[in-house]
Amino acid sequence: MACELDPMVSIPLPTNDEAVLLFDSKLRASVLDTLTKSGVKWTTLGLWRRGREPQTIGQCPPTILITTSDKYHYEQSVWKTVLNNIKKEIEDARGTILVEVVEGTPVTFSGVNVGIPYHKPPLLGESLGVVEEQISKYAESYSGTLGGYLVLKDNPRAQVALTCNHVANPRPFVPEGQSYEYVVHHEMRYPSNQDHEETMRAARAHLLWNGNFEKDRKTMLRELMQKSAQKYVPDSLDQKAFLDRGKIGDMWAKFQDAVWSEDLYVAGSALPTVEELSAIPDTCTMKKPIAVATEQFSAIWKDEMGNAESADYRSAMAFNRSIGSTKTASGLRVWPDPSTVPAGQSPDFCILDWGLVDIVNADGRNISPALQALAAKIVPDSPLAQGQPISGFGTLTAGTVVFKFGRTTGATVGRVNATKTDLSGDVLLKLIGRTDFPNNHKITRTAEWAVSGVDAAIFANQGDSGAWVVNADAKLVGMVFSGLASQSISYISDISVIAQSIKAVTGFDIVFNV
């Protein structure tokens, strides 16, 4: 079913690969038909070259990669039957292509980051999030990246930052009874609430270990860990077995490693909550040592963390993080607008996920020294490498080398895959909340541009939603909105589609302030 190199990551195919033509002209449709008829829960369908190491991945033939969220079916014979049918279709088409199925579901690329710089105005690629405090329960869902700055044409004072809808207009705040296209005008903060809180906690913890945290307390913590393990682990159960008992064992191991490495913040966050502790069965040999460690460590944590301050900490706390508010957004839609597509026609729809933010005293310059430095290593004579600001629109095309700067993974380089990836109707339902649209359109899949990092590296990850994707000519070609990080795949919105949608919503073209 897969290359013998035990594939782990995906890299794009060149546009001139015969497998690309075969897949787009014939196999994609037949594979989609097979998946639909079988009833399996697939999430994405694409064509990649798959392998573990960049040096050997070229030895693997092209692979039709199918991902599924249905673990039960993934483990059952139904998938074997489906894959055998697909392999037969490939043989009939005289193709040399492998087929692989792995677990995975695309998610919006947003998350939590630590170590945010505090300055104004925020620059290209920095942290952004809505102001609502209750967003904290969605801490890994609604912090994203400020892509960069644009202007609404013929409205020169309307300088805006472009990011994702799910960053500037999070779905949980759409009022009940309103459609998912509804836009809430949120106050925005830089850095996001989650990033700010994480940075503050990390700063305090760092301060404790580097001066204010007494040496004997570090020693006491280490001894506590040792004595607890020695006292409560039965002689018949060695230390490795003790740590190999699932989630609680992982938690204990993380706590031990953090204390030994003097990382107070990680150690504190690794401890179980009261609810998690009570859920551990009394028969579990790990419950008592973890309870003891939790009680004693928590007392020290609260005592010391409450007193820890530094000039940097106080400065960050005093920083006014309010930077503006959501101007408008795509809501949760697909493109082209189904209401404009006659019934019976079925174009390749794609997901829309953009938001515009009014930034107070916006910088307006779309310059990233990190992108410039990276481009200088890859394409040294290019405009991007020479420090030219991002100042125009380019075309997102298959095979193109592209760059991005995001709040989580920073500056990265990737290549656009030779063929688009299909996302299933189940994914559409998860990401935008619907599959039924005007004119009797029931959308069962969308076709998305996909990028993989050069040398099998990750191009984007959670927290990079909204990051601009640019080419070596310093032209904006797209924006990160989702992906499969486990497979090194990111999904990109085409800037030409975003621009058309923005004009449809606002009545204005978007241009650069140059």
Side-chain angles (χ1 to χ4, degrees):
M1 283 195 307
C3 177
E4 356 178 283
L5 294 177
D6 187 19
M8 292 288 291
V9 295
S10 310
I11 65 170
L13 277 83
T15 55
N16 60 355
D17 195 302
E18 292 181 1
V20 173
L21 178 60
L22 180 61
F23 182 72
D24 280 342
S25 64
K26 186 173 183 179
L27 287 179
R28 184 196 299 271
S30 63
V31 171
L32 285 169
D33 185 58
T34 297
L35 292 173
T36 301
K37 290 178 178 177
S38 69
V40 293
K41 296 288 186 179
W42 67 280
T43 52
T44 72
L45 168 67
L47 183 69
W48 300 87
R49 202 174 292 279
R50 300 271 290 163
R52 183 181 291 277
E53 299 293 340
Q55 295 81 1
T56 57
I57 199 169
Q59 299 173 24
C60 290
T63 298
I64 294 176
L65 176 64
I66 304 168
T67 60
T68 175
S69 60
D70 194 333
K71 186 175 181 180
Y72 176 80
H73 279 129
Y74 176 65
E75 295 174 341
Q76 304 301 311
S77 60
V78 61
W79 267 112
K80 292 183 180 179
T81 301
V82 171
L83 291 175
N84 285 334
N85 289 340
I86 293 174
K87 288 162 71 175
K88 180 66 166 56
E89 293 168 10
I90 295 172
E91 291 172 2
D92 291 343
R94 301 180 184 277
T96 307
I97 303 175
L98 301 181
V99 185
E100 182 183 0
V101 59
V102 299
E103 285 189 74
T105 300
V107 295
T108 49
F109 266 172
S110 43
V112 173
N113 195 17
V114 175
I116 305 296
Y118 287 78
H119 58 77
K120 279 192 174 180
L123 304 177
L124 177 152
E126 294 192 322
S127 169
L128 195 67
V130 300
V131 75
E132 280 78 1
E133 296 299 332
Q134 64 265 41
I135 202 72
S136 61
K137 63 183 177 181
Y138 306 103
E140 295 185 357
S141 301
Y142 299 106
S143 292
T145 294
L146 187 157
Y149 293 103
L150 296 168
V151 173
L152 297 181
K153 189 177 181 181
D154 301 324
N155 190 4
R157 293 198 297 177
Q159 184 162 268
V160 292
L162 174 62
T163 185
C164 282
N165 173 82
H166 70 265
V167 175
N169 182 43
R171 179 171 161 184
F173 296 102
V174 173
E176 187 175 351
Q178 292 287 352
S179 71
Y180 288 124
E181 287 85 358
Y182 189 85
V183 176
V184 179
H185 296 277
H186 297 276
E187 182 183 344
M188 303 297 294
R189 282 184 175 174
Y190 153 74
S192 68
N193 285 356
Q194 292 73 43
D195 288 346
H196 177 66
E197 290 166 6
E198 294 292 307
T199 302
M200 293 301 93
R201 283 197 290 267
R204 279 184 164 184
H206 178 76
L207 177 65
L208 295 182
W209 283 124
N210 287 277
N212 290 358
F213 196 71
E214 301 166 10
K215 185 176 180 180
D216 61 338
R217 294 231 174 156
K218 296 182 188 179
T219 303
M220 187 199 77
L221 281 170
R222 292 197 179 99
E223 291 177 350
L224 168 65
M225 299 297 297
Q226 290 174 325
K227 290 178 180 178
S228 295
Q230 292 168 359
K231 182 175 181 180
Y232 295 111
V233 180
D235 293 338
S236 60
L237 183 66
D238 64 24
Q239 183 73 1
K240 184 177 186 304
F242 180 75
L243 296 177
D244 280 347
R245 290 193 167 185
K247 181 180 178 182
I248 300 301
D250 291 342
M251 186 184 298
W252 181 261
K254 182 180 178 183
F255 182 42
Q256 280 189 312
D257 291 343
V259 170
W260 256 259
S261 65
E262 301 186 2
D263 193 330
L264 178 66
Y265 171 66
V266 173
S269 62
L271 291 173
T273 63
V274 174
E275 292 77 12
E276 289 173 328
L277 201 57
S278 62
I280 303 173
D282 292 335
T283 55
C284 177
T285 56
M286 286 185 252
K287 183 167 186 175
K288 194 166 184 178
I290 291 178
V292 171
T294 299
E295 181 181 357
Q296 296 192 29
F297 188 90
S298 295
I300 297 170
W301 172 269
K302 290 178 182 178
D303 179 37
E304 295 295 335
M305 288 293 278
N307 298 324
E309 275 194 4
S310 68
D312 288 343
Y313 176 86
R314 290 191 296 271
S315 176
M317 285 297 292
F319 183 76
N320 179 5
R321 295 187 297 117
S322 295
I323 55 170
S325 61
T326 306
K327 183 180 187 70
T328 189
S330 62
L332 298 168
R333 304 171 184 259
V334 294
W335 187 266
D337 183 349
S339 65
T340 66
V341 177
Q345 293 186 16
S346 184
D348 276 346
F349 291 98
C350 64
I351 293 173
L352 276 178
D353 190 347
W354 59 264
L356 298 180
V357 180
D358 279 320
I359 303 290
V360 177
N361 298 321
D363 180 88
R365 296 174 301 163
N366 293 304
I367 298 176
S368 168
L371 277 182
Q372 180 184 354
L374 179 59
K377 297 177 182 178
I378 311 296
V379 280
D381 296 327
S382 67
L384 188 63
Q386 298 302 315
Q388 180 174 311
I390 302 167
S391 56
F393 300 106
T395 302
L396 185 59
T397 55
T400 304
V401 172
V402 291
F403 302 81
K404 80 101 190 57
F405 185 75
R407 61 181 274 292
T408 302
T409 56
T412 58
V413 58
R415 188 181 295 275
V416 183
N417 199 14
T419 182
K420 291 184 179 181
T421 293
D422 295 297
L423 305 191
S424 71
D426 286 343
V427 174
L428 189 63
L429 191 63
K430 178 182 175 63
L431 294 184
I432 77 171
R434 62 187 295 189
T435 57
D436 292 312
F437 292 88
N439 288 347
N440 294 319
H441 289 293
K442 183 172 181 63
I443 299 177
T444 57
R445 69 178 183 91
T446 62
E448 310 295 345
W449 287 104
V451 174
S452 180
V454 169
D455 292 335
I458 289 179
F459 182 70
N461 208 334
Q462 287 195 322
D464 290 327
S465 281
W468 281 9
V469 179
V470 302
N471 61 22
D473 292 326
K475 303 300 182 185
L476 176 61
V477 298
M479 184 170 68
V480 174
F481 77 94
S482 179
L484 276 168
S486 63
Q487 306 301 321
S488 305
I489 297 171
S490 303
Y491 301 123
I492 309 300
S493 294
D494 188 331
I495 191 61
S496 67
V497 169
I498 293 174
Q500 291 176 67
S501 178
I502 289 176
K503 183 166 186 179
V505 171
T506 67
F508 295 103
D509 290 311
I510 50 173
V511 295
F512 284 84
N513 185 23
V514 293

